[in-house]
Short mmCIF file of all heavy atoms in Angstrom, two decimals:
data_model
loop_
_atom_site.label_atom_id
_atom_site.label_comp_id
_atom_site.label_asym_id
_atom_site.label_seq_id
_atom_site.Cartn_x
_atom_site.Cartn_y
_atom_site.Cartn_z
N ARG V 148 -3.89 -1.57 8.40
CA ARG V 148 -2.62 -0.89 8.62
C ARG V 148 -1.73 -0.96 7.36
O ARG V 148 -1.17 0.04 6.92
CB ARG V 148 -1.87 -1.44 9.80
CG ARG V 148 -0.59 -0.67 10.20
CD ARG V 148 0.30 -1.42 11.15
NE ARG V 148 0.84 -2.65 10.54
CZ ARG V 148 1.90 -2.64 9.68
NH1 ARG V 148 2.45 -1.54 9.30
NH2 ARG V 148 2.35 -3.76 9.20
N ARG V 149 -1.67 -2.10 6.78
CA ARG V 149 -0.83 -2.34 5.59
C ARG V 149 -1.41 -1.51 4.40
O ARG V 149 -0.70 -0.97 3.60
CB ARG V 149 -0.73 -3.80 5.25
CG ARG V 149 0.15 -4.57 6.18
CD ARG V 149 0.20 -6.02 5.82
NE ARG V 149 0.92 -6.77 6.87
CZ ARG V 149 1.48 -7.95 6.61
NH1 ARG V 149 1.36 -8.52 5.42
NH2 ARG V 149 2.13 -8.50 7.58
N ARG V 150 -2.74 -1.55 4.31
CA ARG V 150 -3.39 -0.77 3.22
C ARG V 150 -3.09 0.72 3.40
O ARG V 150 -2.84 1.38 2.41
CB ARG V 150 -4.92 -1.10 3.23
CG ARG V 150 -5.57 -0.73 1.94
CD ARG V 150 -7.04 -1.12 1.96
NE ARG V 150 -7.28 -2.55 2.07
CZ ARG V 150 -7.82 -3.09 3.18
NH1 ARG V 150 -8.33 -2.37 4.12
NH2 ARG V 150 -8.00 -4.40 3.26
N ASP V 151 -3.21 1.23 4.66
CA ASP V 151 -2.93 2.66 4.84
C ASP V 151 -1.46 2.99 4.47
O ASP V 151 -1.21 4.02 3.91
CB ASP V 151 -3.21 3.02 6.34
CG ASP V 151 -4.69 3.02 6.65
OD1 ASP V 151 -5.50 3.11 5.73
OD2 ASP V 151 -4.98 2.97 7.84
N LEU V 152 -0.56 2.11 4.82
CA LEU V 152 0.85 2.30 4.45
C LEU V 152 1.01 2.32 2.92
O LEU V 152 1.70 3.19 2.38
CB LEU V 152 1.74 1.18 5.07
CG LEU V 152 3.23 1.26 4.67
CD1 LEU V 152 3.85 2.53 5.20
CD2 LEU V 152 3.93 0.04 5.25
N LYS V 153 0.36 1.45 2.26
CA LYS V 153 0.43 1.41 0.76
C LYS V 153 -0.14 2.70 0.17
O LYS V 153 0.39 3.22 -0.79
CB LYS V 153 -0.31 0.15 0.23
CG LYS V 153 -0.18 -0.02 -1.25
CD LYS V 153 1.23 -0.36 -1.66
CE LYS V 153 1.22 -0.75 -3.11
NZ LYS V 153 2.55 -1.13 -3.57
N ILE V 154 -1.22 3.20 0.75
CA ILE V 154 -1.86 4.42 0.29
C ILE V 154 -0.86 5.59 0.37
O ILE V 154 -0.61 6.43 -0.54
CB ILE V 154 -3.13 4.71 1.02
CG1 ILE V 154 -4.24 3.77 0.55
CG2 ILE V 154 -3.58 6.17 0.84
CD1 ILE V 154 -5.49 3.82 1.39
N LYS V 155 -0.17 5.66 1.54
CA LYS V 155 0.86 6.71 1.77
C LYS V 155 2.00 6.63 0.78
O LYS V 155 2.45 7.61 0.26
CB LYS V 155 1.35 6.67 3.18
CG LYS V 155 0.34 7.10 4.20
CD LYS V 155 0.87 7.03 5.65
CE LYS V 155 -0.24 7.38 6.59
NZ LYS V 155 0.15 7.16 7.99
N GLN V 156 2.44 5.34 0.53
CA GLN V 156 3.52 5.14 -0.44
C GLN V 156 3.10 5.57 -1.90
O GLN V 156 3.88 6.22 -2.56
CB GLN V 156 3.93 3.68 -0.47
CG GLN V 156 4.62 3.24 0.84
CD GLN V 156 4.84 1.75 0.91
OE1 GLN V 156 4.17 1.02 0.23
NE2 GLN V 156 5.79 1.31 1.71
N LEU V 157 1.86 5.23 -2.25
CA LEU V 157 1.41 5.63 -3.56
C LEU V 157 1.19 7.14 -3.65
O LEU V 157 1.52 7.76 -4.69
CB LEU V 157 0.05 4.88 -3.91
CG LEU V 157 0.25 3.42 -4.16
CD1 LEU V 157 -1.11 2.73 -4.18
CD2 LEU V 157 1.00 3.15 -5.44
N GLN V 158 0.71 7.77 -2.63
CA GLN V 158 0.60 9.30 -2.61
C GLN V 158 1.96 9.87 -2.71
O GLN V 158 2.10 10.89 -3.44
CB GLN V 158 -0.11 9.71 -1.32
CG GLN V 158 -1.59 9.36 -1.35
CD GLN V 158 -2.29 9.60 -0.02
OE1 GLN V 158 -1.69 9.60 1.02
NE2 GLN V 158 -3.59 9.76 -0.03
N SER V 159 2.96 9.28 -2.09
CA SER V 159 4.35 9.82 -2.16
C SER V 159 4.84 9.65 -3.63
O SER V 159 5.57 10.55 -4.13
CB SER V 159 5.24 9.03 -1.22
OG SER V 159 6.58 9.41 -1.37
N ALA V 160 4.47 8.58 -4.26
CA ALA V 160 4.87 8.37 -5.63
C ALA V 160 4.27 9.47 -6.56
O ALA V 160 4.92 9.96 -7.50
CB ALA V 160 4.47 6.97 -6.16
N LEU V 161 2.99 9.84 -6.28
CA LEU V 161 2.39 10.90 -7.06
C LEU V 161 3.09 12.23 -6.87
O LEU V 161 3.28 13.03 -7.84
CB LEU V 161 0.91 11.02 -6.69
CG LEU V 161 -0.03 9.96 -7.25
CD1 LEU V 161 -1.46 10.16 -6.69
CD2 LEU V 161 -0.03 9.94 -8.72
N VAL V 162 3.56 12.45 -5.67
CA VAL V 162 4.33 13.68 -5.35
C VAL V 162 5.63 13.68 -6.17
O VAL V 162 6.06 14.65 -6.73
CB VAL V 162 4.59 13.87 -3.86
CG1 VAL V 162 5.60 14.94 -3.58
CG2 VAL V 162 3.28 14.16 -3.14
N ARG V 163 6.28 12.48 -6.19
CA ARG V 163 7.54 12.37 -6.95
C ARG V 163 7.31 12.59 -8.43
O ARG V 163 8.17 13.22 -9.15
CB ARG V 163 8.18 10.98 -6.72
CG ARG V 163 8.79 10.88 -5.31
CD ARG V 163 9.74 9.69 -5.16
NE ARG V 163 9.20 8.42 -5.58
CZ ARG V 163 8.38 7.65 -4.82
NH1 ARG V 163 8.06 8.08 -3.64
NH2 ARG V 163 7.95 6.49 -5.27
N ILE V 164 6.12 12.15 -8.97
CA ILE V 164 5.79 12.42 -10.36
C ILE V 164 5.69 13.94 -10.54
O ILE V 164 6.21 14.51 -11.54
CB ILE V 164 4.51 11.68 -10.77
CG1 ILE V 164 4.79 10.19 -10.92
CG2 ILE V 164 3.95 12.24 -12.11
CD1 ILE V 164 3.59 9.34 -11.15
N GLU V 165 4.97 14.60 -9.64
CA GLU V 165 4.79 16.08 -9.74
C GLU V 165 6.12 16.79 -9.71
O GLU V 165 6.32 17.78 -10.39
CB GLU V 165 3.87 16.57 -8.63
CG GLU V 165 2.47 16.18 -8.77
CD GLU V 165 1.63 16.58 -7.57
OE1 GLU V 165 2.08 17.37 -6.74
OE2 GLU V 165 0.50 16.14 -7.46
N ASN V 166 7.05 16.26 -8.89
CA ASN V 166 8.38 16.91 -8.78
C ASN V 166 9.38 16.36 -9.81
O ASN V 166 10.55 16.74 -9.75
CB ASN V 166 8.93 16.64 -7.40
CG ASN V 166 8.10 17.31 -6.32
OD1 ASN V 166 7.44 18.33 -6.60
ND2 ASN V 166 8.14 16.79 -5.10
N ASP V 167 8.89 15.59 -10.75
CA ASP V 167 9.76 15.04 -11.81
C ASP V 167 10.92 14.15 -11.25
O ASP V 167 12.01 14.12 -11.74
CB ASP V 167 10.34 16.10 -12.73
CG ASP V 167 10.69 15.52 -14.06
OD1 ASP V 167 10.15 14.58 -14.52
OD2 ASP V 167 11.67 16.07 -14.67
#
Side-chain angles (χ1 to χ4, degrees):
R148 186 194 66 78
R149 290 180 185 199
R150 198 176 299 114
D151 289 341
L152 176 62
K153 184 69 172 181
I154 287 170
K155 288 177 185 175
Q156 291 170 339
L157 290 168
Q158 289 170 336
S159 176
L161 286 175
V162 170
R163 288 195 307 279
I164 287 174
E165 289 174 14
N166 294 335
D167 201 30

